[in-house]
Amino acid sequence: MNAISPVACATAAPTAPLNAALLAKYDGLRVPRYTSYPTAPHFTAAVGAERYAGWLAELDTAAHTGSLYLHVPFCAKMCWYCGCHTKIVARYAPIAEYLGHLRREIGMVADRISGRLRVRHIHFGGGTPTMMAPDDFESLIALLRERYDVTPDAEIAVEIDPRTLTREMAEALGRAGVNRASLGVQDFDAAVQAAINRIQPQEQTEQALEWLRANGIRHINLDLMYGLPGQSVESVARSAEIALTMTPDRLSVFGYAHVPWMKTHQKKIDESALAGTLGRWEQFAAIAGVLTDAGFQPIGLDHFARPDDELAVQQSEGRLSRNFQGYTTDDAEVLLGFGASSIGALPQGYVQNAVPFDQYAQAVEAGQFPTGKGLTLTADDRLRRDLIVRLMCDLSVDVGAVAEAHGLAAGTFDDDLEAMADLVADGVAVVEGRRVHVPEPARPLMRIVAARFDTYLSTGAGKHSRAV
């Protein structure tokens, strides 16, 4: 068996794109982003509040560390590209009411767990979490520290819209111990911003960063997007160059998913201004080229990090993880999700809270867990999850070694490897012995390779995004 270094496969800089015909061939496929396996479309009502309560009661807090995700689904204005579960509000009252439910849910979960769960990661997502009043944010952090054993070195990360961040909120974030901020940028081009209903001058982002850094928040992520209306190879490269002047530690580069049949506000986007498959890849390659030329390491599908950033360090050591927040240094087996639509993971399986705000609120007010659906993991699920995670993180996986680690024969997936002959012929995958890896030019198609290990895909393909 030829042992290909996963580090070498994962850290090489993007080179030439695949040819247009090959991109078009695979872009027609709908495949998951694999932030979990099995993926969310396969969650069912078979896992509800009662089962979640049982899973929490079974947790061994001496054996597991945990992480917390809090979903704050409010924004001041709708960005037309948005695919998140969020609600536009002009008053603070709905936010205050929601935070009351969030606090109660946090306490309910803590009460159900035997002992205080040790927590090393806390992530606030949205929506726009910083729409909270500064005092409310600080009291929420204090509650988490009271009910869970938050370690002194815990990473506390917050997603931020620079358009609404205030100096007072930045000061509150610093006092609360926030040490990582993820700022949405998407694109610095004024015409593109107008086309997506997100006017955000460069100076506004720079001001937000100044406030954050002045309050001790020095670990910075910036989000960029490609495939937006009006973008070009030149414009996205320019946005990446501007982003670098702000000295972030990490950048996420996401492709716009145009699904107006699911997100009706996307109908406001001019489809004729969207790039095709080849154009999208050329835009991504342009951004990646700017970032890697500046010394950033490509991380998996869509992240970039400075070589000394912990994300890049863990990738180089084969320890990088992937969860519902994307690529992460968080390897906790217990992820507790709070808030409407939030997803959690436990050793037994996955749970997702009710998505509609009213259903979430009604359950919490009744003293019940607001679990809407979930999935109980089987032994085969865990095996395939390990294969897919390593492939998505390292672009390489020793299939035989993973099978053996699960107590199975090394040749368990030999038939699957043989069935990859078409991917090998197209240059999308390389199979040597029982190791599979994705060559650098095929990086944007890594989900196609991962999907070959997905036994659920045929029943959920319509709910997934385009492959490129």
Side-chain angles (χ1 to χ4, degrees):
M1 191 182 305
N2 190 340
I4 300 171
S5 167
V7 175
C9 295
T11 59
T15 54
L18 299 174
N19 66 67
L22 198 58
L23 285 170
K25 172 182 177 179
Y26 287 106
D27 189 45
L29 299 178
R30 297 275 174 171
V31 289
R33 294 185 63 81
Y34 290 116
T35 53
S36 72
Y37 180 83
T39 55
H42 306 291
F43 296 1
T44 73
V47 173
E50 185 176 347
R51 185 168 300 182
Y52 181 41
W55 287 354
L56 290 171
E58 293 169 3
L59 279 181
D60 182 353
T61 53
H64 296 293
T65 58
S67 61
L68 311 178
Y69 173 76
L70 294 90
H71 188 59
V72 184
F74 299 99
C75 288
K77 193 173 184 179
M78 179 63 74
C79 300
W80 291 340
Y81 63 82
C82 184
C84 300
H85 293 298
T86 189
K87 181 178 183 179
I88 307 305
V89 292
R91 300 178 301 113
Y92 193 70
I95 300 174
E97 182 180 5
Y98 179 84
L99 293 178
H101 296 135
L102 197 61
R103 291 187 182 95
R104 185 166 183 181
E105 184 191 5
I106 288 167
M108 287 165 54
V109 171
D111 287 342
R112 191 65 180 177
I113 298 172
S114 177
R116 293 177 76 226
L117 180 66
R118 191 165 182 259
V119 170
R120 298 186 60 188
H121 290 262
I122 301 174
H123 188 102
F124 287 82
T128 308
T130 48
M131 285 189 70
M132 277 187 269
D135 288 349
D136 282 343
F137 183 85
E138 290 189 78
S139 69
L140 193 56
I141 288 285
L143 176 63
L144 294 176
R145 294 184 186 279
E146 175 188 341
R147 300 310 310 267
Y148 302 91
D149 181 15
V150 180
T151 63
D153 63 344
E155 178 179 273
I156 304 177
V158 179
E159 296 176 10
I160 293 173
D161 182 343
R163 299 172 300 168
T164 59
L165 183 69
T166 64
R167 183 194 300 271
E168 292 73 21
M169 188 60 180
E171 292 170 350
L173 297 178
R175 289 193 298 269
V178 171
N179 46 32
R180 182 171 294 280
S182 180
L183 280 68
V185 171
Q186 321 323 339
D187 195 290
F188 285 105
D189 186 277
V192 175
Q193 291 181 358
I196 61 175
N197 198 39
R198 188 187 177 99
I199 305 301
Q200 183 176 319
Q202 178 180 337
E203 296 76 16
Q204 204 165 41
T205 304
E206 290 172 338
Q207 177 66 85
L209 287 169
E210 180 182 333
W211 285 337
L212 293 169
R213 286 170 169 147
N215 287 282
I217 304 168
R218 304 193 181 280
H219 296 295
I220 301 296
N221 307 4
L222 295 180
D223 293 343
L224 299 177
M225 292 185 71
Y226 63 93
L228 292 171
Q231 285 183 318
S232 66
V233 168
E234 293 75 21
S235 73
V236 297
R238 176 59 181 155
S239 285
E241 291 167 353
I242 294 172
L244 288 175
T245 67
M246 300 177 183
T247 62
D249 303 287
R250 304 173 186 172
L251 296 102
S252 302
V253 183
F254 300 123
Y256 167 58
H258 190 59
V259 288
W261 57 92
M262 294 174 59
K263 299 293 181 179
T264 56
H265 54 267
Q266 291 187 357
K267 293 178 181 179
K268 296 180 180 292
I269 285 181
D270 179 5
E271 292 189 3
S272 68
L274 299 176
T277 299
L278 181 58
R280 286 170 62 89
W281 162 239
E282 289 174 338
Q283 290 176 15
F284 174 77
I287 297 172
V290 169
L291 300 182
T292 55
D293 285 349
F296 280 73
Q297 298 287 354
I299 307 291
L301 182 66
D302 48 25
H303 283 44
F304 296 81
R306 293 185 180 278
D308 59 349
D309 183 89
E310 187 62 20
L311 207 64
V313 171
Q314 286 203 6
Q315 178 185 252
S316 69
E317 297 173 352
R319 297 187 294 114
L320 184 65
S321 298
R322 186 164 174 80
N323 65 18
F324 298 107
Q325 282 78 62
Y327 291 104
T328 177
T329 60
D330 179 10
D331 61 355
E333 195 174 6
V334 176
L335 168 61
L336 301 180
F338 301 107
S341 80
S342 66
I343 300 178
L346 295 94
Q348 304 95 324
Y350 302 124
V351 291
Q352 181 173 19
N353 278 349
V355 175
F357 288 12
D358 57 346
Q359 291 182 21
Y360 168 77
Q362 288 168 10
V364 174
E365 288 172 0
Q368 300 172 353
F369 291 113
T371 312
K373 56 185 177 179
L375 183 143
T376 302
L377 289 167
T378 67
D380 187 67
D381 292 338
R382 292 184 173 88
L383 167 64
R384 293 175 184 273
R385 178 178 63 181
D386 286 354
L387 289 173
I388 289 171
V389 166
R390 293 275 47 89
L391 193 58
M392 293 293 294
C393 289
D394 303 333
L395 279 73
S396 180
V397 61
D398 185 334
V399 174
V402 173
E404 289 181 327
H406 283 257
L408 301 174
T412 298
F413 290 97
D414 283 357
D415 289 345
D416 299 79
L417 297 178
E418 290 183 12
M420 288 187 182
D422 60 327
L423 299 183
V424 172
D426 284 340
V428 176
V430 173
V431 178
E432 294 183 331
R434 292 194 174 103
R435 180 173 286 278
V436 181
H437 84 93
V438 178
E440 182 56 43
R443 180 184 287 266
L445 297 178
M446 69 169 70
R447 293 186 293 152
I448 297 291
V449 184
R452 293 300 178 93
F453 296 107
D454 185 344
T455 60
Y456 292 78
L457 186 60
S458 61
T459 59
K463 299 180 179 180
H464 300 305
S465 60
R466 292 165 54 183
V468 178

